[in-house]
Amino acid sequence: MLKLFFSSPVQIGIGIDEVIVRHQKRTGKFYSSSTVTKSSINNSQPWDTQLRALLTENKIRNRTCYVHLSNDFVRHFIVKPAKNTLSLRDCRDVAYARFQTLFGEKHEDWLIQGDWNQQYPFFACAILKSLLHQLAQLTTEFKLRVLNTTPQLASVWNAHRKALSASDLLIVIDKNLLQIICIQQHGIGDIRMIPFFDTHEVQHNWLEQQIRIESLRLGLGEIKKIHLVGNLPIAWKNSSVGIIDLTTKNTIPQATSILHYVIGYERK
């Protein structure tokens, strides 16, 4: 119990092709600076095999931890409540129906959470219950107390939401996926997932074109600010679009994946 109390939480990031752990190493009676370790085994191995190897290698047991799940494991969507939505239960029912319509899967197999709102469209995400059960078994094996399990996009949103205002855009770059998030007065108003490839990186105005397309599609007026989280391709940095880079707002390990980025956060 004393070890749980005095040590800082371990940060665990889980993706299909990468698993990483951020923790503080014990030096004598104290825990020293943070260390990021990445699985050295074949990335084709299941994530739980990689995570078990990391926890064993770093002798991480009897600790508290935060878990961040990459977009590989999460379904994101926007839910528009019906006019007769009156309660939290109504919000959940609308979200379940929306999920089944979009993805054609039974909502009972997924844990669905959202920024529940009875009046305005709200952001929701879904995680397979089987994955959460698998994670619970593994953390129990290593006597880890999970403080929170959060999708990486939700982690980014939670970390920066105070810096965002209505009519702003939040752009999150995750590997070859561009996520354009429209911020409205009540929170996230809409979200678009757009794949991009190397051929787009040499077109300096591609990002600007995508922002213009989404602005027209969503009927947005003047965009106040554009915020970025992730690694902006070099060619895009010459774009005329003014971007506020939030990636540099925190002291975190430099890496190519947004998954590495979000594990630098602890719950405020």
Side-chain angles (χ1 to χ4, degrees), residues 15-186:
I16 285 182
D17 57 358
E18 61 181 349
V19 175
I20 50 180
V21 173
R22 182 179 185 179
H23 64 108
Q24 289 187 313
K25 287 189 175 181
R26 188 176 180 85
T27 305
K29 296 182 180 180
F30 304 97
Y31 284 87
S32 61
S33 59
S34 296
T35 303
V36 174
T37 54
K38 183 176 180 180
S39 176
S40 58
I41 67 175
N42 193 321
N43 286 342
S44 64
Q45 293 291 329
W47 66 266
D48 57 323
T49 300
Q50 297 185 53
L51 180 55
R52 179 177 284 103
L54 278 179
L55 295 175
T56 301
E57 177 185 345
N58 291 276
K59 299 179 181 179
I60 297 175
R61 296 183 67 88
N62 197 26
R63 300 276 295 272
T64 57
C65 69
Y66 293 98
V67 178
H68 302 272
L69 299 175
S70 78
N71 288 321
D72 302 320
F73 297 116
V74 184
R75 303 281 179 82
H76 304 97
F77 56 105
I78 298 295
V79 181
K80 296 181 179 180
K83 292 183 179 179
N84 60 347
T85 301
L86 300 175
S87 64
L88 174 60
R89 182 172 181 176
D90 292 339
C91 288
R92 291 186 183 276
D93 289 341
V94 174
Y96 296 157
R98 178 64 173 163
F99 175 82
Q100 292 187 171
T101 299
L102 286 175
F103 304 108
E105 300 185 45
K106 295 181 179 179
H107 71 82
E108 291 87 355
D109 296 332
W110 297 74
L111 174 65
I112 298 177
Q113 298 289 352
D115 287 333
W116 311 116
N117 195 308
Q118 301 170 21
Q119 296 180 304
Y120 301 102
F122 57 84
F123 172 63
C125 57
I127 306 171
L128 270 172
K129 291 180 180 178
S130 59
L131 183 146
L132 294 173
H133 177 69
Q134 196 173 2
L135 178 62
Q137 287 183 317
L138 196 151
T139 52
T140 300
E141 176 184 338
F142 286 85
K143 297 182 179 180
L144 300 178
R145 180 189 171 200
V146 181
L147 301 177
N148 204 357
T149 300
T150 312
Q152 66 184 48
L153 185 55
S155 293
V156 172
W157 167 242
N158 290 334
H160 296 298
R161 63 194 309 167
K162 291 183 179 179
L164 304 172
S165 303
S167 299
D168 287 358
L169 288 183
L170 174 62
I171 296 177
V172 180
I173 298 177
D174 177 17
K175 300 176 183 176
N176 288 331
L177 183 66
L178 182 75
Q179 302 165 68
I180 299 180
I181 302 164
C182 172
I183 309 301
Q184 297 183 358
Q185 194 66 44
H186 57 276

